[in-house]
Amino acid sequence: MCGIVGYVGTRPAVDVLIRGLRRLEYRGYDSAGVAFFRGSRLEIRKAEGKLENVEKLLNSNLSSHGEATCGIGHTRWATHGKPTTQNAHPHQTGHVVLVHNGIIENYQEIKREIVAKGFHPKSETDSELFGFLVLQEMDRGANLTEAVRRSFAHVQGACSVVVMSEREPGVVVGVRNGSPLVAARDPLGGAILASDAQPLIEYTREVIFLEQGDMAVASRDGLRFFSLESGRELQRETATLDWSLEKLDKQGFAHYMLKEIHEQPTALVDTLNGLLDRVRTDPFPLAEQPGVKLLDSAREILIVACGTSWHAAQIGKYWIERWARVPVSVDLASEFRYRSPVVGPGTVVIGISQSGETADTLAVIRQMKEQRIPTLAVTNVRGSTLSREADAVFYTSAGPEIGVAATKTFTAQLFVLLLLSGYLSLRRGADSRAEIPAFFEQLVKVPHILADCLGSEAMTATRKAAAELVTSKGFFFIGRGYSFPVALEGALKLKEIAYIHAEGYAAGELKHGPIAMIDEGMTVVVLAPQDAWRDKTVSNLEEVKARGARIVGIGAASDSSLASLCHHWIPLPSITQGLDESLLPFLLTPILQLFSYEIATIKGTDVDKPRNLAKSVTVE
Ligand code: F6R
């Protein structure tokens, strides 16, 4: 979603803004812009498309921005109005300039009032309208901070804004009213604000995550916080970030996505170390934390999530029910929140979200809290809204994920869910508990096995199959048991980064309709590792083969009968033999990630920033 950066201090502001916006590019955007003070006048440069277009405008007249030490910048992901230069941010209304992230829900009402007063918005956006509100309040005598505060009283919807005015050069006012905003004091004087912490890391690790309803006022003298509701000054705690700049760079990989696929072993090790008390020698020694107490109290578990996180939840359901015998239901957050769900007593709700900012998932957590249902978060972002609003958090420690398509955060989410399953099995005295010590021994080896897998023949075979199938007119990914949600995730990856139609299906469901689509132009990717479902999956595969589809098989290296049915064979490395079937999703997933990555790079798509997508989906 939209990215915001605001800066005031001693450094060249436009440089800080552009570098900051670059770090937010991963969120997805379709136009960009900056505004900066030239003396006491504000100037704007904005353009459709990539940030480079704004840089071209800036470079064509260096003298205009070279001296500026205060400004705001924005990358826009269009919601209201097309992605044109006119609709790009910043928006100027008289002496007021602003950038905005989120949605003003009552924008039509505000627009009617503004037009009735004789104002003429220049864009189709909801964002621009906020500037008129601020302008009116300043004309009534309010200073910029107070005018922004009063204007917010007219606005409905979750959003954040950052505003400047020519009447107060060198002041940047930011408000968080839904969409996240993070602030930091610049050690050289002044302050920086942004939609997430990544633009700040270059200058400091000490950051402040604004709370809902906080205003931050930045000037050369530093940073102050006020309540949006009362206007009273607030004290806000600083958090120390543990992300390094080095971790944000591509480190020689062609794309962030490829780097992040290869970072999965480390992401799993870090997640394990973050959640377990490694001094203890018993299996699944979850470190003491509030989330553990909540889990202990669960009679049932409901997991809500969107997209890839929802796929992780589906696998989590299979695991928790298999290992711990605790009933689990899984819901898409966007569906759950608008129906009339029945959530029984004793239910604990888990919201899974790598970003911790997904609007629908957050909304469910809020609804549940209103009903006094205990809530848990699984997220990768410390300080994210989800992490702060849920009653307790289990963090994935995958490090920053820049590629829009989730990879390492997905496998890290899976790891958390599997750790919780094993813990609950022991805690509940489930029948499976006798198997748990041996299972735990295997589980701690998964990062190493995954690392081996990433360097194995499986990856060479995956690349080869991808290269030969790039022209396929469509793909089915099929599997049963744990492999079914992995198949859903494989299809999603291909759609989002390669823009090819793909569907994930439970292998047993193919004959209930979709098999009608199978012909020579289609490819079926079948996940049939050595598990309880392998034989059934293989018999479904025969039905597909008889209808002429190209077949890519992924299974145990020793499975020659499966290999003989496939046009392309991807053998899991022999190190995976004998592994508990619960662990196989960790080895199947990277193969499918790489498969999509290869097809996308051959097609030449923008792998790290696929069209129309955003990394953190803060609108419904
Ligand atoms: C796909 C992808 C999305 C997200 C979804 C939820 O690669 O990244 O489907 O999984 O938008 O996002 P989070 O996990 O941040 O709630």
Side-chain angles (χ1 to χ4, degrees), residues 554-607:
I554 310 174
S558 55
D559 197 342
S560 49
S561 64
L562 172 59
S564 66
L565 284 174
C566 304
H567 301 100
H568 300 272
W569 173 235
I570 303 177
L572 288 169
S574 49
I575 188 171
T576 62
Q577 253 161 27
L579 264 193
D580 189 282
E581 59 192 25
S582 288
L583 303 175
L584 294 169
F586 293 101
L587 309 163
L588 296 170
T589 300
I591 292 177
L592 299 189
Q593 293 167 344
L594 192 73
F595 184 71
S596 298
Y597 172 81
E598 285 296 317
I599 294 188
T601 47
I602 294 168
K603 284 191 73 184
T605 62
D606 193 349
V607 172

Side-chain angles (χ1 to χ4, degrees), residues 305-310 352-358 361 401 403-407 409 413 489 492-493 496 613-617:
C306 303
T308 291
S309 298
W310 182 73
I352 307 184
S353 168
Q354 58 79 23
S355 64
E357 301 297 346
T358 297
T361 309
E401 188 175 67
V404 166
T407 52
T409 53
Q413 288 169 346
E489 175 59 8
L492 179 63
K493 286 283 100 68
E496 63 180 335
L613 296 183
K615 184 73 186 160
S616 122
V617 183

Side-chain angles (χ1 to χ4, degrees), residues 27 41 43 77 103 113 121 244 380 435 530 582:
R27 298 162 70 93
R41 301 302 304 268
E43 294 198 8
W77 192 79
I103 287 182
E113 283 167 20
S244 65
N380 197 45
E435 300 165 56
Q530 211 66 54
S582 288

